[in-house]
Amino acid sequence: MGVTRQESGAEQADIYRSYRRSLLAKDELALLTRLRPWRPMVEIVVLWAQVAAALAAVAIWTRWWVVAAAIVIVGTRYYALFIIGHDGMHRRLLRSASANDLLCDLLILGPIGAISRINKRNHLAHHRHLATEHDPDRYKHACFNKSSRFEYLMFLTGFSSFVPVVRNVFFRRERRQPRSTSAADRYRVRDLVILVGWQVLLIGGLSWGIGWWAYPVLWILPVYLHTYLGDLVRSFLEHSHPEADQRADEHRLVTYASNPLERAFFAPKNMNYHATHHLWPAIPYYNLPRADKLIRGRDEAAGLVWRGSYVGYVLRYYFALPLAQCRPRKA
């Protein structure tokens, strides 16, 4: 029951619907989609406290090893915040849509210059069009730009994908988006206050409290390594196969039964249960393990994929290269 080749978004949705209908009963889904707003609120506070503690440690003990540890802590803790923000883009943090968006923008996405209302369009299009040529994130997990070891290593650095990521997230609208929705693409006064306020706080606060070098070293670098690069590689690992894209499109829903250390770097906040998230985006991140436990082993889940290790698959893909059967993307 995999995804057939190069289907349109509507056909893709029909196949996903068959998974949804057969894998979870209505009463199970009702329980799994129930929101607990206190959960993300508490975790957001805890994660920001960890970021602040790491930065304070550098301000007090400015040693190279403290700086190195802070880069990892700031990066991985913000990445965990970013994954909670991913639920915010699906409006699964709070019951009120406006409160959900404000929380997401003010406490999660604003520090990296993003606004959920604007930036979620790329991600929602990815959900609608996974395993088709219409997926705006196809370059992340397809093999057409990773068919040799050099291309693969360039992808793992994030350099070869930086321009497409910025273009898709910040500038490109979905092809068939009606003009009547274009107002949603514009920044509002509320958005600019959040974005400018965060940059003033980060640049000014880090420069004044630690030094001129603190903003690039303790914010830009951790976000690049652990959020941008971490999320880019995770997306590849959770949708790719070391085979031609035409064949891989038949089974792009992948979950990782990984260990806590790997999850901290690749998929915090249960994002390793990625097949379950793609099938039911309404299930909040804290309920994904329960949903995965329910569907795992059921006959109807035969088209889904479970893997054991992110690092193991990184190596497995590398040693499978070059992929002679992989075709360049059509212009």
Side-chain angles (χ1 to χ4, degrees):
M1 190 166 55
V3 177
T4 56
R5 301 174 182 177
Q6 306 301 325
E7 295 173 312
S8 70
E11 291 167 331
Q12 170 86 9
D14 287 338
I15 289 179
Y16 282 177
R17 193 174 297 118
S18 67
Y19 280 115
R20 296 185 188 107
R21 287 176 175 174
S22 61
L23 283 173
L24 287 177
K26 289 184 179 180
D27 58 335
E28 292 174 325
L29 193 57
L31 288 174
L32 291 167
T33 55
R34 187 174 298 171
L35 296 181
R36 288 181 281 166
W38 64 267
R39 176 73 178 267
M41 294 291 290
V42 170
E43 293 190 6
I44 288 169
V45 171
V46 170
L47 289 167
W48 273 120
Q50 292 170 342
V51 170
L55 296 176
V58 175
I60 297 170
W61 304 288
T62 311
R63 304 288 187 270
W64 71 266
W65 55 271
V66 180
V67 172
I71 289 172
V72 175
I73 294 170
V74 171
T76 56
R77 297 305 78 202
Y78 183 76
Y79 186 24
L81 280 163
F82 182 79
I83 295 299
I84 295 176
H86 168 273
D87 259 33
M89 288 193 286
H90 287 285
R91 289 183 167 168
R92 303 308 295 157
L93 298 181
L94 304 177
R95 295 184 180 92
S96 165
S98 58
N100 177 98
D101 291 354
L102 181 60
L103 174 70
C104 191
D105 296 343
L106 187 60
L107 295 183
I108 301 176
L109 297 182
I112 57 170
I115 294 295
S116 57
R117 184 190 70 260
I118 296 173
N119 299 108
K120 71 180 181 181
R121 63 194 176 207
N122 181 85
H123 182 67
L124 297 184
H126 162 65
H127 269 265
R128 284 192 292 271
H129 303 304
L130 177 66
T132 77
E133 291 292 341
H134 299 297
D135 182 0
D137 286 350
R138 190 168 177 83
Y139 67 93
K140 294 181 180 179
H141 51 260
C143 75
F144 66 82
N145 58 349
K146 307 173 200 69
S147 60
S148 70
R149 290 183 176 179
F150 175 77
E151 288 180 334
Y152 183 48
L153 292 174
M154 285 298 295
F155 172 80
L156 293 179
T157 67
F159 298 152
S160 63
S161 300
F162 187 76
V163 171
V165 166
V166 173
R167 181 189 64 230
N168 285 1
V169 172
F170 291 96
F171 299 107
R172 176 180 170 184
R173 281 189 297 180
E174 194 179 351
R175 295 176 184 175
R176 284 168 280 188
Q177 185 180 24
R179 289 188 178 182
S180 60
T181 64
S182 60
D185 297 331
R186 300 171 188 160
Y187 289 96
R188 302 168 185 168
V189 173
R190 165 255 202 211
D191 306 332
L192 297 176
V193 169
I194 291 173
L195 299 180
V196 173
W198 265 111
Q199 293 313 302
V200 170
L201 177 63
L202 288 169
I203 297 173
L206 290 173
S207 299
W208 175 78
I210 299 176
W212 63 267
W213 53 270
Y215 177 71
V217 173
L218 294 173
W219 184 251
I220 298 298
L221 182 60
V223 167
Y224 182 88
L225 291 176
H226 296 286
T227 301
Y228 162 70
L229 191 56
D231 201 60
L232 176 73
V233 175
R234 178 194 60 76
S235 181
F236 160 72
L237 298 174
E238 292 172 347
H239 291 307
S240 73
H241 297 274
E243 59 191 15
D245 289 326
Q246 194 173 30
R247 183 178 176 187
D249 285 341
E250 298 176 3
H251 51 156
R252 293 232 185 247
L253 296 179
V254 181
T255 283
Y256 279 80
S258 187
N259 61 67
L261 181 60
E262 280 195 340
R263 291 199 301 271
F265 287 92
F266 289 101
K269 301 303 174 186
N270 300 324
M271 191 47 65
N272 54 301
Y273 299 104
H274 204 64
T276 306
H277 166 69
H278 254 270
L279 291 173
W280 301 282
I283 297 178
Y285 68 92
Y286 41 82
N287 286 339
L288 289 176
R290 291 170 55 198
D292 178 79
K293 186 176 180 179
L294 285 172
I295 68 173
R296 188 186 291 251
R298 291 184 176 178
D299 293 341
E300 296 85 354
L304 307 180
V305 178
W306 278 266
R307 292 177 183 151
S309 167
Y310 284 101
V311 173
Y313 181 73
V314 168
L315 297 174
R316 175 187 161 199
Y317 191 96
Y318 177 83
F319 287 114
L321 297 172
L323 298 178
Q325 72 274 33
C326 190
R327 301 173 184 175
R329 189 174 191 176
K330 296 179 180 178

